[in-house]
Amino acid sequence: MSKSSIPVVTAVHPQKNDILHLRDFQYLLAARLCNALGGMGFATVIGYQLYMLTRDPLALGWLGLVQAIPALSLSLLGGHIADRGDRKRIVLTTAGGEVICMLLLLVIALNVERFGVVAIYAVVFLIGIASGFLRPASSAFEQQVIPLEHAARGSSWMSSVWQFGAITGGPLAGVAIDRLGIPTTYLIIALLMALALCFLALIPRKPIQPAVEGETIWESLRMGVKYVFASQALVGSMALVLFAVLFGGAMALLPVFATDILHVGATGLGILRTAPSIGALLVMLIATRRPPTGHAGRNLLLCVGGFGISMIVFGLSHNFILSLVALCFSGIFDGVSMIIRDVVMRVLSPEHMRGRIASVSWVFIGASNELGATESGIAARLLGTGPSVFWGGCVTMLVVATVALTLPKLRELKL
């Protein structure tokens, strides 16, 4: 893709930072905060619940796979629908479905002996179905709410609010589990997600460009995938996420680290989940003033490499403080890379294709997160929990070197 075909790139450096005065953006930030609190709480409680029921790290791996199968299978279709339907309605409907799923998990937790682990996986499967449609529509809708001239700072604020919610959501969920029990924790999560729906409902619908007449669904999906793979910047940044987190991520195994290696219990688990968010929040707050997009490609590669080193240290650690520091640095590196990836996608995505491009991005991200959890569980069973994370970090470093050598346009990208 030539530079002349991307005239909007220079628009990501706004002259003044007034995005916080936009009412729609304020509602978007409030919804993001509630979803962050609920999302981190959900990840904490369901991982802890499953591990306490099974005492098997592979059960955490299956959790990621059960959610990934429907989410990834439906993501491209979700992107097609997001480019042709009412994105706000799609977001509200699917997010509402996730609230119902939280209430179902509450009912299961009240009588888990009767329903069993299979029922928990069944609800997670339903959440995966909703995610397949929610994620592309939500990403495209957010891009419509945030003006292009505020893309970098808007992404930084959105990510900062998410990380702040994740910082508080993890420990609060851990404390809620210990003090109030798992069922009540699910109820709190459901209420937070419902509150996020209320804020999103206050944002007006955003018009989208009419679809191409006569274009079939398969042609639509093919055009979205083709557009992504024709751009080294888009496909390279997505591939870095896929392989780095697929092999280098350790979040799915945190219940094992907290219980069997660091011996810190549910409250310690919440703190461990918070550490990456603390690092990410610090760097994202800085990015609201100094976006890291000047040398976007170089910075992205360095940050993913730093993430790999952090995972190597975490995998070797048996000290709670050192583990927290390693996870904090992983959040710092991941936070910068997240901002760069968001801006790259925002700048290089035509309005009429945002849903489909976002869906391709979510396929990469979903594969890295959910399938990465499965890979982590299997690797932990075969190699041991600590060694599996160590070798995963080594593979991440190898991925960064490969991408840097094979995709020069990404390496030299400046925004």
Side-chain angles (χ1 to χ4, degrees), residues 91 147 161 178 328 344:
V91 170
V161 168
D178 284 338
C328 183
V344 168

Side-chain angles (χ1 to χ4, degrees), residues 31-72:
R32 175 61 67 93
L33 175 60
C34 294
N35 278 324
L37 289 168
M40 183 58 71
F42 170 68
T44 301
V45 66
I46 197 166
Y48 184 79
Q49 181 186 24
L50 276 175
Y51 190 65
M52 289 298 100
L53 290 172
T54 64
R55 308 297 296 191
D56 185 357
L58 189 56
L60 303 176
W62 295 135
L63 178 65
L65 183 62
V66 167
Q67 187 171 358
I69 290 174
L72 299 182

Side-chain angles (χ1 to χ4, degrees), residues 26 58 114 208 229 259 385:
Q26 293 171 1
L58 189 56
R114 175 185 176 186
I208 62 175
F229 279 84
T259 304
T385 304

Side-chain angles (χ1 to χ4, degrees), residues 156-241:
S156 298
W157 276 115
M158 290 288 286
S159 299
S160 297
V161 168
W162 176 269
Q163 296 300 338
F164 176 78
I167 287 171
T168 53
L172 288 177
V175 172
I177 293 169
D178 284 338
R179 301 291 181 85
L180 303 176
I182 290 176
T184 303
T185 304
Y186 279 125
L187 176 60
I188 295 172
I189 293 169
L191 292 175
L192 285 169
M193 291 182 172
L195 184 58
L197 278 178
C198 294
F199 285 118
L200 290 172
L202 295 174
I203 302 175
R205 287 181 171 84
K206 305 295 180 180
I208 62 175
Q209 183 175 327
V212 178
E213 294 185 5
E215 185 180 54
T216 67
I217 182 174
W218 300 113
E219 291 172 338
S220 171
L221 297 179
R222 183 177 61 83
M223 289 299 297
V225 174
K226 181 179 179 181
Y227 187 91
V228 170
F229 279 84
S231 168
Q232 284 193 13
L234 283 172
V235 72
S237 60
M238 293 178 188
L240 276 174
V241 178

Side-chain angles (χ1 to χ4, degrees), residues 236 239-240 243 301 394-408 410-411:
L240 276 174
F243 293 107
L301 290 165
C394 294
V395 172
T396 298
M397 300 297 294
L398 180 61
V399 168
V400 171
T402 302
V403 171
L405 291 174
T406 58
L407 297 179
L410 173 64
R411 186 178 66 242

Side-chain angles (χ1 to χ4, degrees), residues 16-34:
K16 55 182 180 179
N17 184 25
D18 58 357
I19 189 172
L20 292 178
H21 298 293
L22 300 178
R23 182 61 58 86
D24 291 352
F25 187 68
Q26 293 171 1
Y27 292 144
L28 197 62
L29 285 179
R32 175 61 67 93
L33 175 60
C34 294

Side-chain angles (χ1 to χ4, degrees), residues 124-353:
V124 171
F125 187 84
L126 294 177
I127 294 173
I129 293 175
S131 297
F133 296 96
L134 171 61
R135 290 174 173 178
S138 177
S139 178
F141 185 64
E142 289 174 3
Q143 291 179 34
Q144 288 183 287
V145 174
I146 301 173
L148 180 60
E149 64 269 19
H150 296 295
R153 287 187 171 88
S155 175
S156 298
W157 276 115
M158 290 288 286
S159 299
S160 297
V161 168
W162 176 269
Q163 296 300 338
F164 176 78
I167 287 171
T168 53
L172 288 177
V175 172
I177 293 169
D178 284 338
R179 301 291 181 85
L180 303 176
I182 290 176
T184 303
T185 304
Y186 279 125
L187 176 60
I188 295 172
I189 293 169
L191 292 175
L192 285 169
M193 291 182 172
L195 184 58
L197 278 178
C198 294
F199 285 118
L200 290 172
L202 295 174
I203 302 175
R205 287 181 171 84
K206 305 295 180 180
I208 62 175
Q209 183 175 327
V212 178
E213 294 185 5
E215 185 180 54
T216 67
I217 182 174
W218 300 113
E219 291 172 338
S220 171
L221 297 179
R222 183 177 61 83
M223 289 299 297
V225 174
K226 181 179 179 181
Y227 187 91
V228 170
F229 279 84
S231 168
Q232 284 193 13
L234 283 172
V235 72
S237 60
M238 293 178 188
L240 276 174
V241 178
L242 170 62
F243 293 107
V245 180
L246 178 64
F247 294 107
M251 298 305 290
L253 296 176
L254 287 187
V256 186
F257 278 95
T259 304
D260 298 341
I261 297 177
L262 302 174
H263 307 290
V264 291
T267 301
L269 171 61
I271 297 173
L272 286 172
R273 284 197 176 278
T274 298
S277 299
I278 293 175
L281 177 60
L282 291 175
V283 75
M284 287 174 178
L285 288 175
I286 296 173
T288 61
R289 296 291 180 181
R290 298 176 62 87
T293 52
H295 296 275
R298 180 200 66 188
N299 292 342
L300 180 60
L301 290 165
L302 290 175
C303 285
V304 176
F307 176 84
I309 294 174
S310 300
M311 289 297 98
I312 290 173
V313 174
F314 180 73
L316 293 174
S317 173
H318 285 73
N319 179 275
F320 183 58
I321 300 301
L322 178 59
S323 297
L324 285 177
V325 172
L327 288 176
C328 183
F329 272 97
S330 76
I332 290 174
F333 293 121
D334 188 50
V336 176
S337 65
M338 186 186 306
I339 293 170
I340 295 173
R341 296 193 310 265
D342 287 348
V343 175
V344 168
M345 189 170 69
R346 175 69 171 91
V347 169
L348 302 185
S349 299
E351 170 61 36
H352 67 287
M353 296 183 69

